[in-house]
Amino acid sequence: MKLGPKEKYCRRFGHKMLWNERCSSAKCGFIRRKYRPGVHGHKPRNLSLYGRQLLEKQRLKFSYLLNERKLKNYVNLAQKSTKPAPLSLIEILERRLDNVIWRLGYVQSKLTARQLVSHGHFLVNGKRVNIPSYLVNEGDVIEIRPQSKSIKPFANLTQRLKFHQPPAWLEINKDTFVAKVLRLPQAEEIQHDFNLPLIIDFYSRQ
């Protein structure tokens, strides 16, 4: 997906996207200017129900670096689950390989994770995977491709992982850099501020 100036998305949605290292730091434009970009950014918006649904859908879509077709497919998958659709949706999104790579601390930004997966720098259960949307399963073993360990994004990885704590459903050996999916994520342990029912309702009306 093509993206313009990154910080404008944070300010537009009132939400830190954490796409890159700058966004994770105090230099993020959203911290310095907590209002929407543009000449009318300071004015509050009075949105209709549809407008709030659309805004929330866009916020989730851009946060997880999805296109419209992919997010719609995830919503359809969540609606077929035995769990409530909003809970199932966030659990599915967390299982994406690019998100898991970021959660494990291999890289410091979501965009870098997506790029490295696309270029085939990671193995899942010993096989090279270059699909960012690949959904991990319980017991999956994730590691850096041996030929890729010397590339720049993995420089100082030992030092970075020393202070990184992955979520409880993931573990990583900080000496060998081999990670494992201990179990599938549970919605109640995923920290987010998305109004997921609004997103489900948005697609239900189509």
Side-chain angles (χ1 to χ4, degrees):
M1 62 187 301
K2 293 183 179 180
L3 299 170
K6 311 295 186 300
E7 292 182 359
K8 284 190 175 181
Y9 285 91
C10 298
R11 293 173 57 203
R12 174 184 171 188
F13 296 118
H15 169 81
K16 295 191 72 169
M17 298 296 176
L18 301 176
W19 284 341
N20 52 32
E21 294 178 31
R22 183 183 177 89
C23 189
S24 303
S25 71
K27 295 181 180 179
C28 179
F30 176 64
I31 294 179
R32 294 180 285 111
R33 292 175 290 180
K34 292 189 176 182
Y35 53 85
R36 290 176 292 122
V39 295
H40 301 295
H42 291 281
K43 297 181 180 180
R45 287 184 289 186
N46 295 317
L47 296 174
S48 64
L49 175 59
Y50 176 79
R52 288 189 287 116
Q53 290 173 345
L54 178 62
L55 182 66
E56 202 65 21
K57 183 265 293 186
Q58 292 291 86
R59 201 160 71 92
L60 182 73
K61 185 175 77 170
F62 284 113
S63 181
Y64 279 93
L65 299 170
L66 310 173
N67 58 37
E68 185 64 28
R69 179 184 59 82
K70 182 62 71 174
L71 178 54
K72 188 173 183 178
N73 288 343
Y74 286 144
V75 171
N76 290 336
L77 185 61
Q79 289 175 322
K80 297 176 183 177
S81 172
T82 56
K83 290 187 176 183
L87 303 184
S88 180
L89 176 60
I90 196 66
E91 291 174 359
I92 292 169
L93 292 174
E94 282 293 303
R95 290 171 55 200
R96 283 176 54 96
L97 182 57
D98 56 355
N99 180 75
V100 170
I101 293 301
W102 175 65
R103 292 289 191 195
L104 284 166
Y106 281 119
V107 295
Q108 294 178 289
S109 73
K110 293 181 179 180
L111 281 172
T112 302
R114 180 185 178 89
Q115 183 182 47
L116 292 179
V117 173
S118 297
H119 291 174
H121 292 298
F122 289 95
L123 304 177
V124 179
N125 300 327
K127 296 182 180 179
R128 190 176 182 182
V129 177
N130 60 1
I131 303 173
S133 62
Y134 177 92
L135 297 180
V136 301
N137 289 294
E138 181 177 346
D140 281 353
V141 175
I142 303 166
E143 58 188 310
I144 303 171
R145 186 166 169 257
Q147 300 92 320
S148 304
K149 289 184 178 179
S150 61
I151 65 176
K152 186 176 179 180
F154 300 128
N156 302 317
L157 184 55
T158 300
Q159 185 66 23
R160 284 193 280 115
L161 286 178
K162 185 182 299 184
F163 304 101
H164 180 76
Q165 184 62 44
W169 57 282
L170 298 170
E171 72 171 6
I172 184 169
N173 185 311
K174 298 182 179 182
D175 296 318
T176 63
F177 309 141
V178 176
K180 186 175 182 179
V181 181
L182 299 177
R183 55 177 172 79
L184 297 185
Q186 300 297 309
E188 58 270 15
E189 65 185 346
I190 301 170
Q191 295 184 357
H192 68 86
D193 62 352
F194 301 111
N195 191 324
L196 298 170
L198 280 182
I199 298 168
I200 299 297
D201 289 344
F202 175 87
Y203 285 101
S204 297
R205 64 189 295 170
Q206 293 184 348

